[in-house]
């Protein structure tokens, strides 16, 4: 059966069309079109919107709003989003980054969704027609979501306060073994005053490393200071097993790569 495509000028109209059975929203198409091409018979209608707000990026007083249809390539080259360039470039190769969108990455299952890991560390808010939700709440409920994501918004951390790492077997555009994003704030004496750490591939969707965050508070970012945080790194994780890596391997190497990120 051929896929039917409907295009609407507003998100409101697209949301209404999305209520029909068998329809999916089409952003960049890197997920839904591939699923359809691979034989997902539950998808027979695609809905998209040309609402200009979906393509907008605004940055003012460190407050950032990114439309859900903004691509990874657009983020990587945006001069005011330089701290996110590494995370954006972690998504596939150039062709994929020219299509993959912020909104779509929020729905990407492990071992994909590396940019969503960065957004989780940034404590982003996810916007829909119904309002905004904290990203952690959104990710927990995303499987049942039928509302089109319109934007993500967050506050830019200090230039040296955001860290991102993707580990893959194939360079430079391989699928993730794991990914880690961290927003760290340090007091004048060098101790960590707050930490927010997100992990990719340690569950079926990005997750917080809350035990690690707690263990870092009040500690310095040196070998002794991060020891307890590394020991707590595997608490609460449920890594995925796939052709890239086993759950056992992902759990084993997580503390190693987390240590490298924290000492960078």
């Amino acid at each position: 059966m051929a896929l039917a495509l409907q295009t609407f000028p507003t998100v409101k109209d697209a949301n209404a069309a999305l209520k029909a059975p068998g329809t999916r929203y089409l952003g960049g198409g890197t997920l839904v079109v591939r699923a359809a091409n691979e034989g997902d018979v539950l998808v027979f209608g695609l809905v998209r919107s040309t609402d200009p707000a979906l393509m907008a990026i605004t940055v003012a007083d460190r407050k950032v709003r990114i439309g859900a249809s903004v691509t990874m390539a657009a983020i990587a080259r945006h001069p005011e989003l330089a701290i996110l360039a590494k995370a954006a470039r972690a998504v596939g190769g150039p062709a994929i980054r020219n299509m993959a969108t912020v909104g779509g990455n929020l729905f990407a299952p492990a071992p994909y969704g590396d940019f969503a890991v960065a957004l989780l560390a940034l404590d982003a808010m996810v916007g829909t027609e119904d309002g905004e939700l904290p990203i952690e709440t959104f990710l927990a409920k995303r499987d049942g979501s039928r509302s089109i994501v319109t934007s993500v918004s967050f506050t830019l951390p200090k230039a040296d306060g955001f860290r991102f790492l993707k580990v893959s077997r194939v360079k430079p555009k391989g699928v993730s073994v794991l990914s880690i994003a961290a927003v760290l704030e340090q007091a004048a004496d060098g101790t960590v005053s707050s930490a927010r750490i997100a992990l990719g591939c340690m569950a079926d969707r990005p997750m917080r490393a809350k035990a690690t965050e707690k263990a870092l508070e009040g500690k310095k970012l040196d070998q002794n200071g991060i020891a307890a945080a590394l020991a707590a790194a595997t608490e609460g994780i449920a890594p995925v097993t796939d052709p890239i890596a086993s759950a056992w391997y992902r759990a084993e190497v997580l503390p190693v790569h987390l240590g490298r990120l924290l000492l960078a």
Side-chain angles (χ1 to χ4, degrees):
M1 181 183 294
L3 287 173
L5 174 63
Q6 300 179 79
T7 301
F8 299 92
T10 68
V11 172
K12 182 177 181 180
D13 291 338
N15 260 324
L18 201 59
K19 290 180 171 58
T23 56
R24 298 276 183 88
Y25 186 75
L26 176 66
T30 58
L31 294 175
V32 68
V33 172
R34 183 180 67 179
N37 287 340
E38 290 177 349
D40 187 346
V41 296
L42 298 178
V43 182
F44 46 85
L46 300 178
V47 173
R48 65 188 290 265
S49 174
T50 55
D51 193 326
L54 295 173
M55 295 293 294
I57 298 176
T58 58
V59 184
D61 297 325
R62 295 177 57 214
K63 303 293 184 183
V64 179
R65 183 190 180 279
I66 303 176
S69 293
V70 172
T71 65
M72 296 297 113
I75 292 170
R77 63 175 176 258
H78 196 286
E80 294 180 278
L81 299 178
I83 67 169
L84 290 178
K86 185 176 181 180
R89 293 192 184 106
V91 179
I96 293 295
R97 290 195 292 273
N98 281 332
M99 298 175 64
T101 63
V102 171
N105 205 258
L106 292 172
F107 291 90
Y112 307 105
D114 298 306
F115 195 76
V117 175
L119 291 174
L120 180 56
L122 289 164
D123 198 17
M125 298 293 289
V126 178
T128 69
E129 193 180 27
D130 300 323
E132 289 189 322
L133 280 175
I135 186 170
E136 199 166 356
T137 303
F138 173 83
L139 289 172
K141 299 179 177 181
R142 73 178 185 185
D143 295 345
S145 175
R146 293 293 290 174
S147 293
I148 296 169
V149 172
T150 56
S151 66
V152 294
S153 56
F154 53 88
T155 300
L156 280 174
K158 295 178 182 178
D160 60 350
F162 177 76
R163 306 181 185 193
F164 178 84
L165 172 69
K166 173 181 173 177
V167 179
S168 62
R169 296 183 184 275
V170 179
K171 309 295 183 183
K173 58 179 183 178
V175 177
S176 286
V177 172
L178 61 88
S179 55
I180 310 170
V183 174
L184 305 172
E185 294 184 11
Q186 293 174 266
D189 63 356
T191 59
V192 176
S193 56
S194 71
R196 187 176 173 94
I197 299 174
L199 307 174
C201 296
M202 293 299 136
D204 66 342
R205 65 202 70 199
M207 62 169 289
R208 291 270 302 280
K210 294 185 178 180
T212 296
E213 294 170 356
K214 185 176 180 180
L216 278 176
E217 291 181 6
K219 304 294 195 307
K220 291 189 175 182
L221 295 177
D222 56 27
Q223 289 285 1
N224 290 331
I226 69 171
L230 299 186
T234 57
E235 288 189 26
I237 66 171
V240 297
T241 290
D242 56 28
I244 305 301
S246 68
W248 173 86
Y249 180 78
R250 285 185 162 107
E252 285 292 302
V253 300
L254 172 59
V256 176
H257 293 292
L258 177 59
R260 292 173 180 172
L261 181 75
L262 294 175
L263 294 174

